[in-house]
């Protein structure tokens, strides 16, 4: 298909599929690229649910405004307010839409959609489908995408890997270079706009709760090509995961939302079976320290508390583990959690219905990512809003979630917007679908108005980028050095996890910086164990490794320079939030010549809600 | 300290068209390993048990928590998910772990197979709810918790292909669609809006490779990792097909 305008969407998770459906609906054809069949995208893993104010919550005094306020407060005010306003006000409509698409949301006795509690809120406002909500949402959007594929408006490039954006002489994005992971064929694809919806970067940390493809390499490549990064240092470490040999499997916040309790033995080094430890010898430290929110404090707080009680020696048997206990819950509640309890049972052999689960924090979500802009708009309030004038995002404006490179958009987890310094649980799924639907129209409007069509660009432009990527691969394949890429990756993960997760301090991070330099040098002297030109998974991994190291440097630099504590970024050497000068976005750009990140600080405007201290203890 | 190792026998195939062959690897044992972490160890150091450097084994995986459906393989003769299959359990069965690609789908390379057929079949049965678009048109149809329960069970199908690998009627070169499609047909036909396309779906299900080819051996339901109620689906779709064919007869359609 060569009809123009046309759009490329890279990524078939919730953000990419929602964008595809919205853009195709406007009659603009879409080429959809994904490393995996889109139905297998990482979004399928999301468990707990998706936030939206609804009628029941509203009648208890909740509102979209309150949802916005919780998001800003939870994010420690690093979020921009107009996009958050827009997202939270759209949330109920998005749930309705998903409901119409056939998502089997849990129901109440009367047949309405049921709600559960989630962290950072005292109101039930999280919609869910068992404990595998992401799977059901992704499938519903996958089905709608298949419908447009059937109509000929969507072309699916599954198992194709995005390698580089094609930028014309004015620096405007006009397509991509991609490679088929099966045949290893490389090709240039023309497009009038490109949407990056490639998800998070957990694999930079070695083990995380994310899927194996969540390397952040696609984002890193855009960054190397000139797209800025926003707040890369904001990495969420989820409080409750099952540490594993190959990955850390998440134990969803819904376990706590449904009444699960976190505890450790009161006595240090107690190695009795959990069921043998009587109630009075259990320490429910979250409930004790945060009486109002209890086990439902936001993630950064729960993570730090679990981490520190274990550091103090109170972990299970003196080790680095705490109990997440749902054994006391009624059987119907356990049934609602079946999908995640099965995971625990399958991978550990213990049945969490009867034995408390052993958990520890793990890297989980990237709040930072590709830097994007939007068009703010002043409006009259709607019911529930607390001001006479409010600020939203202008519907359909081509600027919405466009990066600093014209024509290149970022949606979903790879987009740095919405979450600030800590993502509230169940807000990610919302932000992904919201980006796709709301900003999908922006993309459609942009390409419809675009006069400088990709179809008219000279072939030489595409050939230049294609040659550049081919040269990189030839170089990688022909390297015959002494380092093993898997070993370098293992070290990258260990270093980043040790220096840049729950507790950060300058000294350790500087050490990591030196280690990264060394890894970079080693990377230039690797040897691939597969040098063939057919389904070379080794090449795909090794190429991503180089980009992960570059991305890690940006995470680290921003972590070092943000000399304060804010949300999930906690510095033991600067334990307080310092608004002057750090109530700012960390904006990283890549200095190609010197191969290093450059950091600038950008003000975060306060459109509606004033800064206030974040304190969940009262 | 001596490390314990165990043997893994992998069926390999370099390209879609080439012949397959077996290779054996010694893998260092660590507690709580699954088949994916075993393959990762082989990938990091691809040397066979007899000391030969070989190309690393290629396989497909994603989530590592049994929900994306990518990593189906035939392990010790059983179609299952490599990520949730634990080495300890396998070593209890046999001293050598044997891993092969699924036999009912074309091999891309080694353990990686092409399951496009399953996704194409979803297109054939119009596996979607025909919504009016993405605009704000209010909530979907109300449903009871019982209805949700059944639809939820169906909605967990991760297109993994275990049911098809185990099915005696499903072969590499026929066009039987298999249990997965019958379940998805029932899924969409049981939604108030999805139902609007029920006749179109039944036309497909009653055509070539459809429900009438199912021999009811029930292998499918035994292997489905997500425990989909596949027999219920087969019975329900069969019933719908019967009613529809009577309707078709009396209305003279087709
Ligand atoms: C275990 C787990 C549970 C979670 N539970 C919840 C929850 O309950 N509620 C909630 O709100 N959030 C939850 N989250 C977070 C949420 O799931 C993610 O933030 C969200 O799904 C990300 O969606 P996405 O569309 O941005 O990206 P993804 O779903 O990660 O999709 C990325 C896409 O990009 C493609 N891609 C990547 N790189 C390339 C490349 N180079 N070339 C081509 N394609 C590429 C991939 O193939 C994939 O299709 C959870 C996360 C995890 C890890
Ligand atoms: S019942 Fe038997 S023949 Fe029918 S789909 Fe299942 S395995 Fe195949
Ligand atoms: S029905 Fe079960 S076995 Fe078959 S593809 Fe779906 S999840 Fe896999
Ligand atoms: S890797 Fe996803 S199901 Fe095994």
């Amino acid at each position: 298909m060569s009809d123009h305008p046309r759009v490329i969407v890279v990524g078939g998770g919730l953000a990419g599929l929602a964008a595809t459906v919205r853009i195709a609906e406007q009659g603009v054809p879409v080429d959809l690229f994904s490393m995996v069949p889109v139905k297998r995208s990482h979004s399928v893993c999301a468990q707990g649910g998706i936030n939206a104010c609804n009628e029941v919550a509203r009648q208890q005094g909740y509102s979209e405004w309150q949802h916005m306020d919780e998001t800003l407060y939870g994010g420690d005010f690093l979020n921009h307010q107009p996009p958050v306003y827009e997202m939270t006000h759209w949330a109920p409509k998005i749930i309705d839409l998903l409901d119409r698409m056939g998502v089997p949301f849990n129901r109440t006795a009367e047949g309405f959609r049921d709600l559960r509690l989630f962290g950072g809120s005292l109101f039930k406002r999280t919609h869910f489908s068992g404990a595998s909500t992401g799977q059901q949402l992704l499938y519903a959007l996958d089905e709608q995408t298949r419908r447009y594929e059937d109509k000929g408006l969507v072309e699916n490039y599954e198992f194709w890997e995005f390698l580089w954006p094609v930028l014309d002489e004015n620096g405007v994005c006009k397509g991509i270079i991609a490679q088929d992971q099966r045949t290893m064929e490389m090709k240039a694809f023309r497009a009038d706009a490109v949407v990056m919806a490639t998800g998070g970067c957990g694999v930079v940390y070695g083990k995380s709760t994310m899927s194996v493809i969540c390397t952040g390499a696609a984002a890193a490549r855009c960054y190397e090509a000139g797209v800025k990064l926003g707040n890369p240092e904001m990495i969420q470490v989820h409080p409750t995961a099952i540490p594993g040999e190959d990955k850390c499997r998440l134990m969803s916040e819904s376990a706590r939302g449904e009444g699960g309790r976190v505890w450790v033995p009161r006595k240090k080094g107690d190695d009795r079976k959990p069921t043998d430890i009587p109630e009075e010898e259990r320490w429910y430290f979250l409930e004790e320290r945060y009486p109002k929110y209890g086990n439902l404090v936001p993630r950064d707080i729960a993570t730090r508390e679990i981490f520190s009680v274990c550091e103090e020696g109170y972990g299970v048997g003196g080790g680095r583990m705490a109990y997440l206990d749902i054994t006391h819950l009624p059987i119907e509640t356990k049934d609602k959690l079946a999908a995640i309890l099965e995971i625990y049972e399958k991978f550990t052999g213990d049945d969490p219905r009867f034995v408390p689960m052993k958990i520890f924090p793990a890297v989980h979500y990237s709040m930072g990512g590709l830097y994007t802009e939007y068009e703010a708009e002043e409006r009259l309030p709607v019911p529930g809003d607390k001001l006479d004038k409010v600020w939203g995002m202008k519907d359909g404006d081509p600027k919405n979630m466009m990066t600093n490179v014209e024509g290149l958009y970022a949606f979903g987890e790879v987009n740095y917007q919405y979450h600030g310094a800590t993502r509230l649980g169940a807000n990610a799924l919302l932000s992904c679908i919201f980006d796709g639907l709301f900003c999908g129209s922006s993309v459609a409007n942009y390409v419809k108005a675009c006069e400088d069509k990709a179809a008219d660009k000279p072939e030489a432009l595409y050939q230049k980028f294609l040659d550049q990527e081919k040269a990189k691969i030839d170089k990688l394949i022909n390297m015959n050095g002494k380092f093993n890429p898997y070993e370098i990756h293992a070290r990258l993960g260990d270093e980043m996890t040790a220096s840049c997760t729950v507790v950060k301090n300058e000294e350790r991070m500087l050490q990591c910086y030196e280690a990264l330099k060394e890894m970079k040098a080693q990377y230039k002297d690797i040897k691939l164990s597969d040098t063939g030109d057919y389904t070379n998974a080794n090449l795909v991994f090794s190429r991503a490794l180089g980009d992960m190291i570059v991305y890690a440097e940006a995470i680290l630099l921003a972590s070092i320079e943000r000399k304060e504590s804010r949300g999930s970024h906690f510095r033991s050497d600067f334990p307080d939030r310092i608004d002057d000068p750090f109530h700012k976005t960390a904006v990283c750009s890549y200095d190609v010549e010197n191969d290093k990140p450059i950091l600038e600080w950008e003000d975060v405007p306060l459109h509606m809600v004033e800064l206030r201290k974040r304190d969940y203890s009262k | 300290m001596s490390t314990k190792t165990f043997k893994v026998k992998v069926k390999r195939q370099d390209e879609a068209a080439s012949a397959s062959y077996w290779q054996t690897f010694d893998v260092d044992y660590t507690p709580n390993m699954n088949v994916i972490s075993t393959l990762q160890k082989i990938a990091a150091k691809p040397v066979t048990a007899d000391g030969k450097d070989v190309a690393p084994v290629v396989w497909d995986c994603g989530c590592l928590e049994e929900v994306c459906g990518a990593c189906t393989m035939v392990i010790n003769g059983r179609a299952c998910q490599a990520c949730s299959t634990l080495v300890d359990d396998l070593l209890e069965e046999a001293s050598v772990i044997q891993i092969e690609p699924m036999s009912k789908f074309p091999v891309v390379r080694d353990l990686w197979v092409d399951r496009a057929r399953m996704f194409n079949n979803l297109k054939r049965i119009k596996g979607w709810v025909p919504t009016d678009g993405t605009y704000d048109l209010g909530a979907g149809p109300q449903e009871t918790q019982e209805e949700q329960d059944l639809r939820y069970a169906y909605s967990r199908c991760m297109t993994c292909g275990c049911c098809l690998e185990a099915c005696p009627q499903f072969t590499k070169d026929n066009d039987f669609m298999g249990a997965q499609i019958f379940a998805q047909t029932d899924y969409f036909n049981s939604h108030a809006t999805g139902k609007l396309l029920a006749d179109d779906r039944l036309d497909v299900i009653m055509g070539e490779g459809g429900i009438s080819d199912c021999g009811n051996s029930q292998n499918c339901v035994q292997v489905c990792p997500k425990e989909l109620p596949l027999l219920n689906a087969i019975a329900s779709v069969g019933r719908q097909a019967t009613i529809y064919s009577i309707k078709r007869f009396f209305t003279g359609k087709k």
Side-chain angles (χ1 to χ4, degrees):
Chain A
M1 286 200 294
S2 66
D3 39 332
H4 276 261
R6 63 189 301 121
V7 170
I8 283 177
V9 173
V10 184
L14 283 169
L17 294 182
T20 301
V21 170
R22 184 58 144 230
I23 295 167
E25 185 175 83
Q26 327 261 311
V28 178
V30 178
D31 294 319
L32 175 58
F33 287 77
S34 170
M35 299 269 279
V36 297
V38 292
K39 210 178 166 180
R40 308 201 194 287
S41 292
H42 169 66
S43 290
V44 79
C45 294
Q47 302 170 345
I50 174 167
N51 292 337
C53 177
N54 82 344
E55 210 40 58
V56 179
R58 216 186 301 282
Q59 289 173 31
Q60 292 166 14
Y62 197 67
S63 62
E64 286 88 342
W65 182 269
Q66 174 98 23
H67 183 188
M68 172 187 82
D69 190 72
E70 281 167 359
T71 305
L72 299 175
Y73 185 60
D76 230 344
F77 297 98
L78 265 199
N79 350 39
H80 280 231
Q81 301 189 357
V84 175
Y85 177 92
E86 204 63 57
M87 174 179 83
T88 50
H89 282 72
W90 267 69
K93 305 184 216 175
I94 285 176
I95 304 292
D96 277 348
L97 172 65
L98 294 163
D99 193 26
R100 279 173 44 224
M101 288 178 177
V103 173
F105 285 111
N106 273 58
R107 301 286 158 168
T108 62
E110 225 181 307
F112 293 108
R113 290 167 312 211
D114 201 3
L115 296 170
R116 68 164 42 126
L117 271 172
F118 241 68
S121 184
L122 299 170
F123 291 89
K124 281 195 182 184
R125 48 117 159 92
T126 303
H127 296 72
F128 64 102
S129 186
S132 58
T133 312
Q135 183 180 30
Q136 277 66 46
L137 300 185
L138 183 72
Y139 291 0
L141 286 167
D142 173 61
E143 288 148 14
Q144 296 298 321
T145 305
R146 192 164 290 112
R147 194 172 156 211
Y148 280 107
E149 214 184 305
D150 194 52
K151 285 188 184 158
L153 269 162
V154 173
E155 186 104 347
N156 218 332
Y157 292 86
E158 289 174 335
F159 295 118
W160 279 78
E161 182 182 5
F162 161 87
L163 298 182
W164 205 260
V166 172
L167 308 187
D168 72 5
E169 63 286 0
N170 304 316
V172 179
C173 185
K174 290 290 168 197
I176 65 168
I177 306 296
Q179 182 176 34
D180 185 331
Q181 294 169 273
R182 292 157 301 188
T183 60
M184 301 315 263
E185 180 196 8
M186 267 199 240
K187 262 172 84 171
F189 294 85
R190 292 168 188 254
D192 301 288
V194 172
V195 177
M196 298 300 294
T198 51
C201 67
V203 178
V204 168
Y205 287 84
K207 282 193 271 183
S208 75
T209 63
M210 293 190 210
S211 299
V212 294
I213 42 171
C214 301
T215 59
R221 288 167 195 157
C222 292
Y223 162 66
E224 290 162 74
V227 180
K228 294 175 182 175
L229 298 178
N231 295 329
E233 75 280 21
M234 293 302 173
I235 295 287
Q236 178 172 86
V237 183
H238 194 286
T240 62
I242 324 163
E245 178 70 16
D246 50 342
K247 87 171 279 196
C248 299
R249 295 180 177 85
L250 181 74
M251 203 26 71
S252 163
E253 193 169 289
S254 53
R256 283 176 290 135
E258 296 287 357
R261 304 175 76 186
V262 176
W263 61 276
V264 288
R266 282 206 182 271
K267 202 168 78 211
K268 281 188 186 176
D270 192 339
D271 55 6
R272 282 178 294 174
K273 282 209 280 263
T275 40
D276 292 344
I277 303 180
E279 198 61 27
E280 60 280 9
E281 291 176 45
R282 298 175 175 193
W283 183 20
Y284 297 94
F285 52 95
L286 291 175
E287 296 167 34
E288 202 173 291
R289 292 178 178 170
Y290 303 91
K292 196 160 147 196
Y293 286 84
N295 292 291
L296 285 170
V297 288
R299 293 179 178 177
D300 58 306
I301 296 177
T303 295
R304 242 164 3 250
E305 293 289 352
I306 293 172
F307 186 81
S308 72
V309 297
C310 291
E311 289 290 288
E312 288 161 30
Y314 289 98
V316 172
R320 286 157 68 90
M321 228 103 73
Y323 289 120
L324 170 58
D325 197 344
I326 59 123
T327 55
H328 57 286
L329 297 177
I331 190 81
E332 310 84 70
T333 310
K334 290 178 185 166
D335 285 347
K336 273 199 264 179
L337 295 171
I340 55 171
L341 302 184
E342 274 164 22
I343 295 178
Y344 189 85
E345 191 175 0
K346 255 183 187 144
F347 287 94
T348 68
D350 290 337
D351 187 346
R353 289 169 190 85
F354 308 106
V355 190
M357 296 177 269
K358 286 191 217 157
I359 50 88
F360 196 71
V363 167
H364 178 62
Y365 185 86
S366 328
M367 269 88 61
L370 299 178
Y371 174 85
T372 48
E373 293 175 35
Y374 57 90
E375 187 65 35
E377 177 185 66
E378 201 181 25
R379 308 212 187 114
L380 292 173
V382 298
D385 288 354
K386 301 223 165 103
L387 294 173
D388 298 339
K389 284 276 179 100
V390 297
W391 287 86
M393 193 153 66
K394 192 170 168 207
D395 202 352
D397 192 284
K399 207 166 127 192
N400 294 337
M401 302 309 145
M402 193 191 273
T403 66
N404 58 303
V405 169
E406 194 188 320
L408 186 63
Y409 290 80
F411 290 2
E413 190 168 338
V414 77
N415 177 5
Y416 98 107
Q417 286 284 356
Y418 308 113
H419 307 298
T422 295
R423 169 178 71 98
L424 285 186
N427 255 2
L429 298 180
L430 175 63
S431 70
C432 287
I433 302 173
F434 172 69
D435 257 347
L437 292 178
F438 190 85
C439 307
S441 313
S442 299
V443 178
N445 290 342
Y446 171 77
V447 296
K448 282 180 181 167
C450 175
E451 282 173 3
D452 190 18
K453 297 257 178 297
D456 305 329
K457 290 274 162 193
E459 188 52 37
L461 172 69
Y462 294 91
Q463 192 60 42
K464 182 178 95 186
F465 284 94
L466 193 56
D467 291 343
Q468 168 197 309
E469 290 308 301
K470 281 188 173 153
K472 281 190 208 165
I473 288 176
D474 285 343
K475 198 170 147 205
L476 254 181
I477 293 230
N478 291 321
M479 245 192 273
N480 198 5
K482 45 183 185 300
F483 294 97
N484 177 325
Y486 293 94
E487 281 164 13
I488 300 180
H489 178 244
R491 179 154 176 234
L492 173 69
D494 289 346
E495 276 294 320
M496 289 301 287
T497 305
S499 67
C500 228
T501 48
V502 186
V503 178
K504 312 180 187 180
N505 72 62
E506 180 125 355
E507 203 188 324
R508 184 64 186 84
M509 284 194 286
L510 289 174
Q511 244 175 337
C512 180
Y513 217 81
E514 290 307 308
L516 279 183
K517 272 196 210 147
E518 219 174 276
M519 286 178 230
K520 234 180 196 174
Q522 291 176 350
Y523 181 72
K524 296 203 171 95
D525 191 25
I526 55 173
K527 180 176 165 53
L528 304 196
S529 47
D530 188 350
T531 53
D533 53 8
Y534 182 73
T535 53
N536 189 337
N538 208 249
L539 169 71
V540 170
F541 177 81
S542 304
R543 177 171 50 202
L545 174 65
D547 301 304
M548 280 191 266
I549 298 175
V550 172
Y551 197 93
E553 267 190 319
I555 297 178
L556 201 58
L557 176 67
S559 295
I560 293 173
E561 293 302 320
R562 187 179 279 285
K563 297 183 197 301
E564 63 153 352
S565 294
R566 188 180 292 267
S568 68
H569 169 82
F570 181 78
R571 291 279 300 257
S572 55
D573 42 356
F574 298 97
D576 296 319
R577 188 176 93 185
I578 304 169
D579 290 331
D580 186 13
F582 290 114
H583 178 237
K584 286 188 163 52
T585 307
V587 183
C588 276
S589 36
Y590 179 66
D591 174 354
V592 183
E593 232 143 81
N594 300 301
D595 178 24
K596 67 174 204 288
I598 300 171
L599 180 67
E600 283 165 314
W601 294 101
E602 188 189 87
D603 286 337
V604 182
L606 290 170
H607 282 88
M608 294 168 279
V609 182
E610 287 303 315
L611 274 176
R612 63 182 193 270
K613 186 167 179 268
R614 189 164 170 265
D615 180 7
Y616 290 88
S617 66
K618 288 177 223 39
Chain B
M1 199 182 77
S2 74
T3 43
K4 202 168 119 191
T5 65
F6 60 95
K7 283 210 181 331
V8 183
K9 205 173 145 197
V10 182
K11 189 173 184 183
R12 310 205 52 179
Q13 184 170 333
D14 298 343
E15 280 185 44
S18 58
S20 62
Y21 55 96
W22 290 89
Q23 271 173 355
T24 305
F25 300 88
D26 283 323
V27 179
D28 290 340
Y29 175 85
T30 39
N32 302 322
M33 283 176 83
N34 56 16
V35 170
I36 297 286
S37 57
T38 305
L39 291 170
Q40 285 173 338
K41 286 196 179 188
I42 296 175
K45 214 172 58 183
V47 183
T48 59
D50 44 18
K52 217 166 74 203
D53 283 333
V54 293
V57 179
V58 176
W59 74 92
D60 195 4
C61 72
C63 65
L64 305 187
E65 52 190 59
E66 203 193 75
V67 64
C68 77
C71 69
T72 321
M73 295 170 199
V74 177
I75 302 169
N76 283 0
R78 246 189 343 258
C80 57
Q81 299 313 109
C83 61
S84 58
T85 302
L86 305 180
V87 165
D88 286 335
D89 296 341
L90 294 172
L91 289 178
E92 258 171 41
E93 292 170 5
S95 58
V96 181
I97 295 175
Q98 183 168 312
I99 312 176
E100 310 164 61
M102 280 194 278
S103 64
K104 305 281 179 80
F105 299 93
V107 171
V108 178
R109 182 173 171 184
D110 293 341
L111 303 169
W112 180 6
V113 298
D114 179 356
R115 281 168 283 181
R117 178 172 168 188
M118 296 180 79
F119 295 109
N120 288 339
N121 282 343
L122 282 173
K123 220 186 281 178
R124 283 180 62 194
I125 60 147
K126 302 201 169 141
W128 52 75
V129 174
T131 54
D132 283 350
T134 58
Y135 292 89
D136 183 19
L137 302 172
Q142 212 165 324
E143 68 181 350
T144 64
Q145 184 63 50
E146 291 71 51
E147 288 161 338
Q148 188 269 351
D149 274 345
L150 180 66
R151 292 207 315 113
Y152 177 70
Y154 284 151
S155 78
R156 301 209 64 204
C157 169
M158 53 184 181
T159 333
C160 67
C162 287
C163 57
L164 304 181
E165 177 69 16
C167 172
Q169 300 305 111
F170 187 93
T171 67
K172 221 172 189 167
D173 36 43
N174 68 2
D175 44 30
F176 184 52
M177 286 179 281
Q180 171 240 2
I181 279 300
F182 304 144
Q184 292 305 300
T185 302
D186 204 25
Y187 178 52
F188 293 107
N189 284 5
S190 58
H191 183 263
T193 319
K195 221 181 242 152
L196 301 176
L197 297 175
D199 288 359
D200 295 13
R201 290 191 195 104
L202 293 172
D203 277 331
V204 177
I205 290 297
M206 289 159 66
E208 198 118 338
I211 191 88
S212 60
D213 293 353
C214 166
N216 241 305
S217 63
Q218 316 200 349
N219 296 18
C220 49
V221 72
Q222 279 158 28
V223 295
C224 174
K226 291 290 151 195
E227 296 174 11
L228 261 73
L230 295 174
L231 297 182
N232 181 65
I234 292 167
S236 165
V237 171
R239 250 185 338 261
Q240 292 173 43
T242 312
I243 295 169
Y244 180 59
S245 65
I246 296 168
K247 181 172 122 191
R248 227 165 47 172
F249 178 80
F250 283 109
T251 56
K253 197 179 161 202
K254 277 212 184 140

